[in-house]
Amino acid sequence: MPVIQSPGISSGIDINGLVQQLVAAERGPGEQRIARNQSRIDTQISALATLRAGLSTLASSLTNLRTVQVFQARRADSGDAEVFTATATASAAAGSYTVEVLARASAQKLASAAFSGGSSTVVGDGLLSISVGGNAFEVEIAPGDNTLTAIRDAINGAADNTGVSATLINGVAGTQLVLTARQSGEANVLRVTTSGGNGGLSALVYDPGTTTNLSQITAAADAQLRIDGFEVRSASNLVEGALDGVSLNLVAAQPGTVLSLNVANDTKQVQDRLKKFVTDFNASALSIAQLRRYNPATREAGPLLGDAQLRSIESGMRGDISSRVATATPPYDTLASIGITTSASGTLVVNDAKLTAALTTNFDAVGQLLGSAEGVAARLYSRVDEAVKSQSAIAGRTESLQSRKRALETDRQALDRRMVALEARYRAQFTAMDQLLSQLQTTGSFLTQQLSR
C-alpha cells in the first residue's frame, strides 16, 4: 500500500505554510516591480491611443478645409422646389437666372389590345424586330413558346435589348402587353415589326405610316424649358449643360410661371465645416490638457505630464491656428479676423456674425486663409497627419511600449519558473530536516527506554 506522507508531521512544523510564506516573500519584490511597470506602460499606451484618436478626428475635419478647391463649392436655389430643383458644382458661375418649365420629358409607351384569355393566351410565332431610337434588336418567338407571358420574357431577356421594357397589365377586358422605352426623349421612339411565323405576331406591330396595331399611351417627348428667356430642350428631365456646372431636375411643368434660380457660394457648407473643425479642435485640446494635467492639491498627475512629444504637438497646433497667413488677403489673414478666436481656457470660439460677414464680403479670401498651401487648415492638417500616420513618432513609441510589455511578460514567466524551483528546494530542505528530527526523536525514545531499566 502507498504511504501517506504529510510534511512536518514528525516535527510538528507546518512545512507547507512555511514554504508558501518564504516563496511569497521571495516573489513579492519582483512581482511588485513587474506589476508596477506593467501598469505604467498600460497607462501610457492608453494615453497615446487617446491622443492619436483625437488628432485623427481633427485631421478628418481638416480634410474638408485644407484646399482652396474646397472653398469653390457652389449652391443652387430654386424658386419653387415643387417645379424644379437644382444642384451646382465648383465650375458654376455665381448669378441669378429665370427658369420656366414648359414640359417634362417622357418615354414612349405602347400597349396591345386586350387578350381576353389572359397572360396564357397564344399570340403567334415568328420574328419580332423592335427598334428604340433606330437601334433594333430581334426576338425569336418559337411555336409552343408564344404566349403573352413567353413573349414578355423573351423581350426582357434578349441579350441585345437596346432599351425597352415589356410588362403585362391584367385589366377588366383582359391582358395587355405594354412596351416602354427605358429612356425618355423624342429620339427614343419605338418601332415594332414582324416577319415569318404564322402571322399571329402582327397584333404587336407598331410601324407609324403603315400599320399601328399597338396603341400609344404616352408619346416620346423632350423636356422643354426657358432659361432667361432662351428655349432649352432635353431628352431627360435631368437637364445638364444648359448652364455650366448646374443641373436642373424638372419636377412639374408650369407653363407661364417664371421662377428664380440663384447660384452662389455655398457659405453654409463652409460655416458648417468650420464649426465642425472648431468642435474637433477643442475636443483634441481638452484631451491634451487632461493628459498633461497636474492637481497640486491632490498631487494627481496626468499620464503624459511633462512629455516632450505632447508639448511639441500642442505648441505646434497653437502656433498653426494663431499665426498670420502671409499669402492671405488682408484683413482676412488670421482666424481671429473671420471670427474664430482663442478663449482664456485655450478652446476656440466662433463669432457667427463675424464669420458670416467675412464669407459674404470676400468668400475667396477666406478660402485662401484656410486652404492655401500656407493656410491655417493646410498647415495644421500637415502637422496632425504627421502625428497620426502609421510611421509617426506616436506609433513608434506605442510599438516600443508594447515591446516592453511583452518583455515584462517574459520576466513574469521567468519569475514563475524561479519560484517553482525555489519552492521545490525549500520543500526538499524542510523534508530532510523533518526526517532528521523524526530519526532523532526515535533514537531519543530508545535511549530513554534503555536508561530507565
Side-chain angles (χ1 to χ4, degrees):
M1 293 180 63
V3 178
I4 300 175
Q5 296 181 344
S6 178
I9 194 170
S10 299
S11 62
I13 299 174
D14 182 7
I15 292 178
N16 282 332
L18 185 58
V19 168
Q20 290 173 0
Q21 291 176 32
L22 289 171
V23 171
E26 187 75 21
R27 173 189 287 274
E31 182 75 29
Q32 291 172 9
R33 176 187 61 80
I34 292 172
R36 188 167 53 249
N37 289 338
Q38 190 170 45
S39 177
R40 182 166 58 249
I41 289 173
D42 285 341
T43 299
Q44 290 181 339
I45 290 174
S46 177
L48 291 174
T50 299
L51 173 62
R52 195 173 183 185
L55 294 177
S56 294
T57 301
L58 177 58
S60 179
S61 64
L62 286 167
T63 300
N64 295 322
L65 295 169
R66 67 187 182 95
T67 64
V68 173
Q69 288 73 23
V70 168
F71 290 86
Q72 294 175 349
R74 303 288 185 264
R75 62 176 296 166
D77 296 316
S78 165
D80 189 343
E82 294 185 357
V83 178
F84 76 91
T85 60
T87 58
T89 65
S91 63
S96 296
Y97 309 89
T98 60
V99 176
E100 179 184 3
V101 181
L102 303 173
R104 295 182 76 246
S106 59
Q108 190 173 28
K109 182 176 291 190
L110 306 175
S112 70
F115 291 86
S116 59
S119 60
S120 61
T121 301
V122 173
V123 180
D125 54 68
L127 190 67
L128 273 177
S129 179
I130 304 175
S131 171
V132 184
N135 297 315
F137 66 99
E138 295 183 338
V139 182
E140 181 72 34
I141 308 298
D145 197 18
N146 53 7
T147 63
L148 279 174
T149 298
I151 293 172
R152 176 201 62 192
D153 294 343
I155 293 172
N156 290 334
D160 56 348
N161 187 322
T162 55
V164 63
S165 297
T167 57
L168 296 180
I169 296 180
N170 299 304
V172 175
T175 301
Q176 294 174 273
L177 176 68
V178 178
L179 302 179
T180 306
R182 293 175 185 164
Q183 301 294 326
S184 59
E186 294 178 0
N188 296 306
V189 294
L190 299 176
R191 181 172 177 266
V192 183
T193 59
T194 64
S195 61
N198 61 11
L201 291 178
S202 61
L204 305 180
V205 170
Y206 184 82
D207 190 10
T210 56
T211 305
T212 54
N213 291 332
L214 297 179
S215 301
Q216 179 173 268
I217 299 175
T218 305
D222 287 344
Q224 300 177 47
L225 63 157
R226 293 192 182 96
I227 301 177
D228 280 354
F230 296 98
E231 186 171 348
V232 175
R233 297 176 73 90
S234 170
S236 168
N237 287 312
L238 181 62
V239 182
E240 298 178 306
L243 283 172
D244 287 342
V246 179
S247 297
L248 302 177
N249 181 38
L250 308 185
V251 180
Q254 283 197 359
T257 301
V258 178
L259 300 170
S260 64
L261 168 65
N262 294 312
V263 180
N265 296 320
D266 196 348
T267 57
K268 184 179 185 307
Q269 182 187 84
V270 172
Q271 279 182 309
D272 290 343
R273 289 179 175 180
L274 279 169
K275 289 181 178 180
K276 177 69 165 54
F277 152 67
V278 168
T279 298
D280 291 341
F281 181 91
N282 288 342
S284 181
L286 290 172
S287 176
I288 290 174
Q290 283 296 309
L291 294 174
R292 60 163 173 74
R293 73 187 184 281
Y294 179 73
N295 187 330
T298 62
R299 296 187 178 182
E300 181 184 3
L304 295 180
L305 176 66
D307 188 89
Q309 187 178 45
L310 184 66
R311 287 200 308 270
S312 175
I313 292 173
E314 183 178 28
S315 63
M317 290 171 58
R318 293 293 177 188
D320 289 336
I321 63 170
S322 61
S323 301
R324 189 179 70 86
V325 177
T327 57
T329 304
Y332 303 117
D333 53 3
T334 63
L335 281 184
S337 68
I338 63 171
I340 301 176
T341 56
T342 303
S343 68
S345 64
T347 58
L348 295 180
V349 179
V350 180
N351 183 319
D352 288 327
K354 195 169 183 178
L355 177 58
T356 300
L359 290 170
T360 302
T361 303
N362 198 331
F363 187 83
D364 292 337
V366 177
Q368 287 291 326
L369 168 65
L370 287 148
S372 64
E374 300 297 325
V376 174
R379 64 195 182 194
L380 182 56
Y381 175 84
S382 179
R383 182 181 305 279
V384 172
D385 182 61
E386 181 67 25
V388 300
K389 65 184 182 181
S390 59
Q391 301 300 319
S392 68
I394 293 178
R397 186 173 169 187
T398 300
E399 177 53 36
S400 177
L401 289 168
Q402 294 285 8
S403 179
R404 289 169 56 189
K405 187 175 179 180
R406 290 190 292 269
L408 285 175
E409 184 58 34
T410 300
D411 290 348
R412 186 186 297 278
Q413 293 172 1
L415 178 63
D416 289 340
R417 289 193 296 269
R418 288 200 307 273
M419 293 304 102
V420 169
L422 180 64
E423 181 178 355
R425 187 167 69 252
Y426 279 152
R427 285 190 180 279
Q429 291 172 347
F430 281 109
T431 298
M433 182 191 70
D434 184 53
Q435 291 172 349
L436 178 60
L437 287 174
S438 177
Q439 293 172 0
L440 291 174
Q441 288 173 351
T442 301
T443 301
S445 297
F446 173 76
L447 292 174
T448 300
Q449 292 175 0
Q450 293 298 319
L451 293 172
S452 65
R453 292 179 179 180

